[in-house]
Amino acid sequence: MLSISQKSIVLLILLGIIFGIVTPPANANESLKMISVLYDTDTDKKNMNVIQENGELYMTTEDLAEVTGYKLSQMTDNVVYSRGLKKVNIDIQTNTMIILGNNYSLKPVIKEKGKIWLPMSELLPWLNVSCYVENGVPNIASDPVSYWEIEQNFNPMDYYFLIEDELGGKKSTVTVMLSMFLFDTILGIRTDRAIAYKGETLRDYSVYMDTFKEFATDDIIISDFVLKAIKSGNQLADVEKFAAFLQNYAEVNKAESLSKVLEPFDDIQKEIRELKEIGDKAKLKELWGALNIIETSMRAQQDYYKSFEYIYNINSKLPESIAEMAAYKSYEIFKSKGNAAAIAVLDFTGNCLKEIAKDRAKDAMSKALQNHLVMLNALDAVLSIVWPVNKSAEEIANLPVYVKIQQDALNSYNKYSYPPSNMSKDNIIAARLSAIMYLQAGRKAVESKQKLMDQFGGKGLSDSKIELYNEQITQLVLSASATENDAIDDKSANTAGLLELFKTIEYADAESIAVWQELYISKAKPYIDEGHHYYQFCLYDIDKNGIPELMLKPTGARLPGTAYTVNQGGIIGLEGIIWGNLYASRRPQSIVSSGSAGTGMLFTTLYTLNDNKLVEMGKLTYDEHSEDYPDHRFFFNGNKISEKEYERIYSELISEASKLTWEPLDEKTLHYSLTNNSR
């Protein structure tokens, strides 16, 4: 019988569950499944365990970190995903998530098989991940550059242009060097190089207008850094999502002729499927990179006018200074020409897509960048029709204008970017756009100083500094997608969309996962019965199909081992010999073995798993007892080589690989390794 106090406790718990005070544990009717996932361009599909419950998919905390590229920190009651300064903190006791200072409720966390499982549909959108399903396989794509990674290492003072420090003078009249100023004055070449801070003039209005127009058509993504950033990223292309972005772009800007731009999309989708089937990752990355450049170019033009809203408070107050009047006018012109500008951008997009579809992704990124320059020229032509520009001004005399723009943008950046852990939707966008204009103005000031230095033998002295500005600007431009995703406070629509997608994923039941484990246990049992101290085992997924291969070898003895794999036909003994140490090669579907045969011979072999055979792709041999000792004891694929060449090839094979561990073969150790290596 329960005591009164015990009954009270039970009653409180029941009431807590009914009224939501206490979160009940996940019920026991979850279904363990296995799915194939494609989440970057450097790996094949990977099999991952998920729990399926009421249409939701739950993935382990470790797997979520792997597919999204976030760093995982796991404590008793909390799971934290971080990327730069952005942190997603999940309280697994209360099922709540804290991000950018806001609290959100999550579906109950599941604890199963010693791991924590989190709801994918609710986590992926907040981790800036898009997901689409192709032929039953989820394709997971992270934003290539995170605003929070840039923010973490961005120190505005490293890019601040202070005239007194840069040119060595006072605020009244400043020159690069007094001798330069006197030289110019005596010869009457250009006396307006003196820079005075006496307040803004009508001439400054033209300089502001000229500068703002230049920023509008800045080739900010034309740099080697763009190609490096995109090539090193792991973004997958959701072509349907990109088409939707184009559709929205055309509607917002009231642009027509979208149907012609979308014509190549069917060919591009077909190309993606074919490249995936044949496994041509280089072309896939080229194609995805080109689409990334196109989207980045479009976003840069779409977002530019918003900079004036944040930095100069357009629409919220009347202009009070020459700078604000120029900003208001620039904003008005840019908005009024939005339709014409959008047409130029869509023409650029259509041309790029046609070339990509026609040339099967060959040099697609380079062609996208070339078309980007054509687009900028078209935009410049559109804006020049009505944009008042003063081309006669000497650049060095314009420094006060560039510095004023930079200071205005810096003030805006400081206003919107702190504290970074609690930024609102508008603040995130405002901080990024303010930082871009801040850097553009600083770079412009450095360039004007360099043009003057060019005339006095100082050509190219600021090139490295300008390149630093370009790289930082490029990073901020590339982070547009991540910034936009973080600026969405309500991700319920994304969650609903993912739940619909999950219905189209192909699953394997948990029982099918256990089959290969049981097959390996049955194969190893005769060796285990002989005594575990006689044998060792190693598990490693050579062909990356989600089921590791099992390697067995005698302990201590210099005898070859053997290997097994599991496929639809059951367990199969692999043809090939495993010696000594094993290394996980970074080359696709490969493994390296290195060991002595006990006869004075040392073999180091690169194997590739192909058609249930361990095929030798390269074999190094060291023969201690060669008759031609000491000159001819080194061989590669049967051919004699020098000791230096032997060492080079050996280093190449081993240095790019990580050493695998041989475990003592006993039932308990093998069972633990099998159940913890289900991928």
Side-chain angles (χ1 to χ4, degrees):
M1 294 290 290
L2 292 173
S3 66
I4 294 175
S5 60
Q6 289 174 320
K7 289 179 180 179
S8 300
I9 292 171
V10 171
L11 179 60
L12 283 172
I13 292 174
L14 288 173
L15 288 172
I17 291 174
I18 293 170
F19 293 104
I21 301 171
V22 178
T23 303
N27 51 36
N29 61 1
E30 305 98 9
S31 176
L32 185 64
K33 303 282 187 180
M34 185 170 70
I35 61 174
S36 294
V37 180
L38 183 65
Y39 61 92
D40 66 51
T41 55
D42 289 328
T43 64
D44 296 317
K45 290 180 292 189
K46 284 193 176 181
N47 289 348
M48 292 183 170
N49 289 340
V50 295
I51 288 177
Q52 188 182 39
E53 182 185 290
N54 299 325
E56 177 63 275
L57 291 187
Y58 289 78
M59 186 176 276
T60 66
T61 53
E62 296 86 356
D63 285 347
L64 269 172
E66 183 175 344
V67 301
T68 60
Y70 274 71
K71 180 182 177 182
L72 171 66
S73 303
Q74 201 158 311
M75 291 151 275
T76 305
D77 297 329
N78 293 79
V79 173
V80 179
Y81 290 99
S82 57
R83 192 174 179 187
L85 292 178
K86 179 184 174 184
K87 294 187 185 301
V88 178
N89 192 326
I90 300 160
D91 189 322
I92 59 177
Q93 299 300 324
T94 61
N95 298 308
T96 56
M97 175 177 65
I98 303 172
I99 176 171
L100 299 175
N102 296 315
N103 287 13
Y104 301 91
S105 297
L106 290 177
K107 292 170 186 168
V109 171
I110 294 175
K111 292 183 179 179
E112 182 73 24
K113 298 185 181 296
K115 293 183 178 293
I116 297 171
W117 304 72
L118 300 174
M120 289 175 64
S121 74
E122 295 186 331
L123 262 294
L124 291 181
W126 288 108
L127 296 173
N128 287 357
V129 172
S130 58
C131 177
Y132 65 103
V133 179
E134 187 176 67
N135 299 325
V137 176
N139 286 229
I140 294 177
S142 297
D143 291 322
V145 181
S146 165
Y147 171 77
W148 303 103
E149 289 172 301
I150 301 164
E151 175 70 17
Q152 184 177 31
N153 301 308
F154 177 50
N155 179 12
M157 290 301 98
D158 291 341
Y159 302 90
Y160 190 67
F161 190 95
L162 190 63
I163 289 181
E164 301 91 89
D165 292 344
E166 293 280 350
L167 303 182
K170 298 179 180 179
K171 284 189 177 180
S172 57
T173 56
V174 182
T175 61
V176 176
M177 283 173 41
L178 181 60
S179 58
M180 289 184 186
F181 177 67
L182 292 174
F183 180 75
D184 277 3
T185 304
I186 292 169
L187 296 182
I189 297 174
R190 175 68 70 181
T191 57
D192 64 355
R193 284 212 178 104
I195 301 168
Y197 267 101
K198 296 179 180 178
E200 295 175 317
T201 66
L202 189 59
R203 174 188 174 279
D204 289 336
Y205 175 82
S206 295
V207 179
Y208 279 116
M209 292 296 295
D210 191 9
T211 306
F212 288 143
K213 176 177 177 291
E214 185 177 324
F215 290 171
T217 55
D218 188 1
D219 56 353
I220 45 185
I221 72 162
I222 302 298
S223 73
D224 292 337
F225 181 81
V226 176
L227 296 177
K228 290 177 187 174
I230 291 176
K231 284 181 178 179
S232 63
N234 289 325
Q235 189 188 34
L236 301 175
D238 183 346
V239 180
E240 290 183 2
K241 182 182 175 184
F242 185 52
F245 168 74
L246 278 178
Q247 181 75 46
N248 181 67
Y249 183 92
E251 290 174 358
V252 168
N253 293 282
K254 300 177 182 178
E256 300 174 357
S257 309
L258 181 65
S259 58
K260 292 183 179 179
V261 177
L262 295 176
E263 282 176 4
F265 265 88
D266 288 340
D267 292 333
I268 291 174
Q269 287 178 308
K270 181 182 177 183
E271 177 70 7
I272 288 176
R273 286 193 293 270
E274 290 177 358
L275 291 174
K276 283 182 180 178
E277 287 173 5
I278 64 176
D280 195 335
K281 297 173 187 174
K283 283 188 177 179
L284 275 171
K285 183 160 267 192
E286 182 76 18
L287 188 150
W288 286 323
L291 293 180
N292 196 324
I293 289 173
I294 297 169
E295 183 174 351
T296 300
S297 300
M298 296 179 69
R299 288 185 185 277
Q301 296 307 318
Q302 186 182 40
D303 293 344
Y304 173 69
Y305 76 92
K306 297 177 186 175
S307 305
F308 298 109
E309 295 178 358
Y310 298 114
I311 298 172
Y312 292 102
N313 300 313
I314 303 295
N315 299 329
S316 64
K317 74 183 197 68
L318 295 174
E320 298 174 357
S321 65
I322 293 290
E324 290 177 353
M325 290 176 65
Y328 274 60
K329 185 63 177 176
S330 300
Y331 176 85
E332 180 188 323
I333 293 174
F334 202 88
K335 287 280 285 184
S336 66
K337 288 296 174 183
N339 181 255
I343 291 172
V345 173
L346 286 172
D347 284 345
F348 143 76
T349 303
N351 291 334
C352 286
L353 294 176
K354 286 174 185 174
E355 289 188 8
I356 292 171
K358 179 180 67 178
D359 295 340
R360 300 180 65 83
K362 183 180 179 182
D363 298 324
M365 280 190 278
S366 297
K367 290 182 178 179
L369 289 175
Q370 291 168 11
N371 278 313
H372 175 87
L373 289 175
V374 174
M375 176 193 74
L376 293 178
N377 290 331
L379 284 172
D380 186 66
V382 168
L383 297 175
S384 295
I385 298 172
V386 291
W387 204 294
V389 173
N390 177 11
K391 289 291 185 185
S392 63
E394 177 73 8
E395 281 229 20
I396 197 65
N398 299 341
L399 268 179
V401 169
Y402 307 147
V403 171
K404 179 67 168 60
I405 295 174
Q406 190 183 40
Q407 186 63 59
D408 291 341
L410 179 61
N411 292 342
S412 176
Y413 172 79
N414 289 332
K415 173 183 175 182
Y416 292 111
S417 63
Y418 296 105
S421 61
N422 191 20
M423 290 171 66
S424 68
K425 169 182 175 180
D426 284 341
N427 285 13
I428 297 171
I429 297 174
R432 185 185 77 91
L433 294 176
S434 299
I436 291 175
M437 186 173 284
Y438 168 76
L439 290 164
Q440 284 179 295
R443 183 189 59 187
K444 185 67 177 171
V446 173
E447 288 174 341
S448 65
K449 172 188 170 183
Q450 182 58 53
K451 285 182 180 179
L452 180 60
M453 292 167 64
D454 288 347
Q455 300 178 38
F456 296 93
K459 193 171 182 64
L461 291 178
S462 301
D463 286 356
S464 59
K465 191 169 185 178
I466 292 170
E467 184 58 30
L468 288 176
Y469 278 91
N470 284 336
E471 288 197 6
Q472 193 71 66
I473 293 169
T474 300
Q475 289 187 58
L476 285 163
V477 172
L478 285 173
S479 72
S481 180
T483 308
E484 183 174 292
N485 285 337
D486 279 323
I488 299 173
D489 294 328
D490 182 8
K491 300 292 179 82
S492 57
N494 305 67
T495 295
L498 283 174
L499 289 173
E500 284 299 311
L501 278 177
F502 292 163
K503 296 176 182 177
T504 64
I505 293 176
E506 294 181 357
Y507 303 94
D509 291 331
E511 287 73 16
S512 66
I513 302 172
V515 168
W516 63 267
Q517 296 173 350
E518 292 298 326
L519 286 171
Y520 280 156
I521 290 173
S522 64
K523 178 59 65 174
K525 195 172 189 311
Y527 299 95
I528 294 173
D529 291 341
E530 289 186 31
H532 72 270
H533 58 282
Y534 291 119
Y535 287 92
Q536 294 174 305
F537 75 94
C538 179
L539 287 169
Y540 177 65
D541 190 358
I542 302 175
D543 55 1
K544 299 294 186 294
N545 70 344
I547 300 177
E549 278 60 51
L550 172 67
M551 275 73 72
L552 298 170
K553 74 163 188 173
T555 302
R558 293 180 174 179
L559 296 172
T562 187
Y564 299 93
T565 189
V566 171
N567 61 19
Q568 293 177 346
I571 191 167
I572 296 172
L574 296 173
E575 296 180 23
I577 299 175
I578 297 293
W579 294 95
N581 296 321
L582 289 180
Y583 298 85
S585 175
R586 293 180 186 173
R587 303 184 187 192
Q589 299 182 226
S590 299
I591 194 170
V592 176
S593 75
S594 181
S596 171
T599 59
M601 306 281 284
L602 175 67
F603 299 106
T604 302
T605 310
L606 173 68
Y607 292 105
T608 292
L609 181 56
N610 188 17
D611 291 332
N612 301 320
K613 295 180 182 178
L614 287 173
V615 181
E616 290 184 3
M617 301 302 292
K619 184 174 183 179
L620 271 178
T621 307
Y622 167 72
D623 184 1
E624 186 179 11
H625 303 300
S626 172
E627 293 180 359
D628 296 325
Y629 179 89
D631 297 320
H632 293 90
R633 45 187 180 150
F634 305 98
F635 301 84
F636 182 62
N637 292 337
N639 300 314
K640 294 177 182 178
I641 57 175
S642 67
E643 182 176 2
K644 186 176 181 181
E645 186 69 5
Y646 176 94
E647 290 174 350
R648 184 190 68 78
I649 298 173
Y650 180 85
S651 176
E652 227 175 59
L653 289 174
I654 301 303
S655 65
E656 67 169 17
S658 55
K659 192 174 181 180
L660 300 174
T661 302
W662 287 101
E663 301 279 0
L665 182 61
D666 62 76
E667 193 163 355
K668 184 177 179 181
T669 306
L670 178 61
H671 185 270
Y672 177 84
S673 296
L674 287 169
T675 54
N676 285 275
N677 281 275
S678 58
R679 286 188 282 137

